[in-house]
Amino acid sequence: METVTVVINGEKKEYKAGTIYKELADEYQSQYRDDIVLVQIDERLKELSKKVKDGKTVKFITAKDKAGRKVYRRSMTLMMQKAIFNLSSDEGIGVRVQHSISQGYFCRLTKGVPSQEYLDKIKDEMRRICKADLPIKKWNAPTEMVLDLCRQWNMPDKEKLFHYRRNSRVNVYEIDGYYDYYYGYMVPSTGYLKYFDLKLYEDGFVLMFPDKDSKAVAEFKPSHKLFTVLEEAAKWGEMLECGTLGAFNDAITHGRGRDIMLVHEALMEKKIGEIAEEIVENHDTKFVMIAGPSSSGKTTFSHRLSIQLIAHGVKPHPIGLDDFYLDRAKCPVDENGKYDFECLESLDIELFNDVMQRLMAGERVQMPKFNFMTGKSEKGEFLQLKEDEVLVIEGIHGLNDQLSYTLPSQSKYKIYISALTQLNIDEHNSLPTTDGRLIRRIVRDARTRGTSAKQTIAMWESVRRGEEKHIFPFQDDANVMFNSALIYELAVLKPYAEAQLFAIERDCPEYIEAKRLLKFLDYVLPIPVEGIPTNSIIREFIGGSCFPV
């Protein structure tokens, strides 16, 4: 009898040829608190339905791991679609997955607005499907065949998407006669999908997932401000007739790329002008506080907002919170003994408040200037704030009132900025906003810092942890949220990002993420950079900005 040998947790194990990874996962599941949903083989992810390969090292991926959480969410969404299909197929009611919100996906029915009664029926059907433990089958089919099936399934967005697919074949998933394409891997069967909830919200509902604890559904905490911004982005996409990648590719092939670029830049400038007008109308505002996660385009936004403020008769003075760092020797350290430059305590809070109080009183103040080479605070230029002037303060803790605790609340206008994705992949596959920011950062770091894509990906999880701790908890305290994502930016970033991602070797831990991003970018048609305004936020990442960035 033929056998295969693998290494699991440092131990060599022998199995019968033809064994699938699910059998190994079942054998070792008792050693893991969280459900095993994938395996990693030589820096590549494999579904549990795949046959065991000889001579490989097997690493189990659980629903608590980053890749495992994505698998769980993707599979749960397919199960939800199957439930709605079972309940509503005669009426032709389907569902569209629109965007992420509150550890879940905001969804709309293709016909009508859901009631609580209907939502309860969906939940009951999802529980029934989960209990039945139906297999989730993967079929590899010719792309042309899937194109025809998309027409039959009334999935026009997927039909457009596959029109631009270069590969001759495509993977389709099935649950008991219901088929769909998904961008990524799935669990082997519906029995894995025990933890979920559905919550009515606005004119749709939210499919809720587990958060850090893979065995408990996250608390439903929707941000109405964030939802409003996401809805505005969706409406801009509809207005430009390119709310999905396939539709945007259509626009490029029909020569509308430049028009979309210019219209979206105009919409963004109009939005910045409205923010400036609101700041000016509030005569008590002296401090414009700007914060947002990495690669949101904060620097370019600050410059463009300053120009709009000048146009409205108010002179802005840009202030960077980095200049208020404590001397490096006084900076707190994290649990690993390394300097924690992202925590609030790394800033000289007392100095910041003293300087701001004196500026607000009209005094002439010598500003601090942090020397990153020496790691020490130095004396900077003098500044005096006049009646028709404001400070534009940009930094990670700008929205945290513990930073500016002595300043009157009415004197602060807070802006949260993030690149909240404008496009969805198709009807049922949304594009995570973090992916857009990561692609931006890969391009910028390679150009301005000589940092490879491998290095950027390696540090990304640490960057994300800092954002979740220091930025996201305060986003709802902002007076306004600004979406810095551009509907055309992926088409511009694609050539730059691909060149960096292809440089990551196959035996690197970062290769898994690089491969995932490359697979996604393969759907995007590129457009030339000529014609992009020099004040565009995307110029902060690809170069050619008229601002010092």
Side-chain angles (χ1 to χ4, degrees), residues 29-80:
Q29 182 59 69
S30 62
Q31 299 181 26
Y32 293 82
R33 175 191 178 274
D34 305 286
D35 292 339
I36 298 170
V37 294
L38 279 181
V39 290
Q40 181 178 322
I41 312 295
D42 296 340
E43 309 307 336
R44 292 192 175 193
L45 298 176
K46 299 285 184 183
E47 291 177 316
L48 297 182
S49 58
K50 293 290 185 181
K51 291 181 181 179
V52 176
K53 295 285 187 178
D54 186 49
K56 301 294 184 181
T57 297
V58 178
K59 178 183 177 183
F60 294 118
I61 304 296
T62 73
K64 193 170 185 178
D65 297 318
K66 178 183 175 181
R69 291 199 302 272
K70 290 181 178 179
V71 167
Y72 189 92
R73 289 183 170 209
R74 194 177 297 123
S75 306
M76 180 62 74
T77 307
L78 179 61
M79 189 173 80
M80 175 195 69

Side-chain angles (χ1 to χ4, degrees), residues 117-180:
E117 181 183 8
Y118 184 65
L119 219 56
D120 290 339
K121 288 180 180 178
I122 299 174
K123 282 196 279 190
D124 289 342
E125 181 63 8
M126 290 175 70
R127 293 189 188 105
R128 186 196 69 77
I129 295 170
C130 174
K131 189 174 181 181
D133 196 21
L134 301 174
I136 299 178
K137 300 175 184 177
K138 178 191 277 189
W139 302 99
N140 185 262
T143 301
E144 287 299 321
M145 179 188 294
V146 176
L147 266 169
D148 292 337
L149 289 172
C150 286
R151 296 186 193 103
Q152 296 177 29
W153 299 335
N154 192 28
M155 297 179 182
D157 293 340
K158 282 188 174 65
E159 184 182 347
K160 290 179 180 178
L161 186 71
F162 290 133
H163 178 74
Y164 298 97
R165 185 174 176 84
R166 293 179 174 87
N167 292 342
S168 60
R169 301 186 71 84
V170 64
N171 292 322
V172 175
Y173 289 93
E174 177 207 352
I175 298 179
D176 189 29
Y178 180 83
Y179 300 84
D180 199 0

